[in-house]
Amino acid sequence: MNLDFAQIVPYIPFILQGIKGTLLVTLISVVLGFIWGSILALIKISKFGPLNWLAVAYTSVFRGTPLILQLTFVYFATPQLTGYNISQLEAAVLTFTLNSGAYISETIRGGILAVDKGQWEAAKALGVPYRRMMLDIILPQGVKNILPALVNETIALLKESALVSTIGLSDIMQNANVVKGAIFRYFEPYLIAGFLYYVMVMILTWVARVVERRMRRSD
């Protein structure tokens, strides 16, 4: 095996700089995706037909097309359609937010519907307004039930963020590609990139388990 890790050692700090871009896209997209997904979930369980249909159609489109197609469409087609020269970071965050929102909406919808009907009936009997009931009673319980699914979506988003390298955004994968082109070696830089993604996923998994254990104690 023709391996020479000595050549890549000077480039390791450069690859590590990509962690900032990876985490930035992931964290912003997760937060915005959760907010957007919650809105979509509330629309889907509402009885307002037109909005309900639009939310379902939206989810169908984003779940039925490849993420890389959505990313390239947003980045390259936005200037053509709107005249706005969207940045790489904006395109990445917008795409991942819209995509993750579609998946998260279904997860949250399932969590809301899984809340015991007695909670709904008790809130209605006490005269709690629908908005306050959803925000203060139903939605928190629903999110608690679907925490593992939300963590899985976050992990998937973290790994899928590597796709931003296709539009040139500086992240772990893009920096590894740059190093590959500089030293004309593939295995070593991609091995470092894979290790960094793995470490971040393991840290995220550990944090999720700690949060889940604390939430169980509060039951």
Side-chain angles (χ1 to χ4, degrees):
M1 297 181 66
N2 182 20
L3 300 179
D4 185 6
F5 285 94
Q7 290 190 40
I8 198 177
V9 169
Y11 294 96
I12 290 180
F14 176 71
I15 298 178
L16 291 175
Q17 290 176 9
I19 295 177
K20 179 181 178 181
T22 297
L23 291 179
L24 186 63
V25 171
T26 301
L27 294 177
I28 295 177
S29 300
V30 164
V31 173
L32 296 180
F34 177 79
I35 296 173
W36 177 228
S38 300
I39 295 173
L40 286 175
L42 294 176
I43 292 174
K44 289 178 181 179
I45 64 174
S46 70
K47 297 180 180 179
F48 190 68
L51 278 180
N52 190 299
W53 182 88
L54 286 174
V56 172
Y58 169 91
T59 301
S60 176
V61 169
F62 277 89
R63 293 175 68 182
T65 54
L67 179 56
I68 190 170
L69 174 62
Q70 298 166 17
L71 178 60
T72 52
F73 183 86
V74 169
Y75 183 63
F76 293 106
T78 297
Q80 176 187 344
L81 297 176
T82 66
Y84 176 68
N85 189 22
I86 190 170
S87 69
Q88 297 160 329
L89 179 60
E90 291 172 336
V93 170
L94 177 61
T95 303
F96 287 126
T97 296
L98 296 176
N99 182 273
S100 64
Y103 285 92
I104 291 175
S105 68
E106 284 296 289
T107 303
I108 294 178
R109 184 180 69 87
I112 290 175
L113 296 179
V115 175
D116 186 81
K117 290 184 179 180
Q119 299 288 328
W120 297 77
E121 295 172 354
K124 291 179 181 178
L126 293 172
V128 179
Y130 180 82
R131 180 173 174 273
R132 300 311 311 172
M133 175 181 68
M134 292 302 303
L135 293 178
D136 296 338
I137 301 175
I138 304 300
L139 193 57
Q141 294 185 62
V143 171
K144 188 175 182 180
N145 293 334
I146 61 174
L147 181 61
L150 291 177
V151 172
N152 287 337
E153 175 62 24
T154 304
I155 290 174
L157 188 59
L158 174 63
K159 294 185 293 184
E160 290 170 348
S161 68
L163 292 175
V164 302
S165 63
T166 60
I167 61 174
L169 181 63
S170 178
D171 74 326
I172 295 174
M173 192 66 184
Q174 174 64 10
N175 287 9
N177 287 332
V178 172
V179 173
K180 170 205 71 178
I183 64 177
F184 299 101
R185 303 186 71 85
Y186 296 82
F187 182 82
E188 294 89 341
Y190 288 148
L191 180 63
I192 298 296
F195 175 75
L196 293 177
Y197 281 112
Y198 180 77
V199 169
M200 288 191 294
V201 168
M202 290 301 101
I203 292 175
L204 180 59
T205 303
W206 176 78
V207 171
R209 288 176 179 173
V210 171
V211 173
E212 190 173 355
R213 283 198 299 266
R214 290 185 178 181
M215 293 181 71
R216 287 177 180 174
R217 292 173 186 171
S218 65
D219 288 342

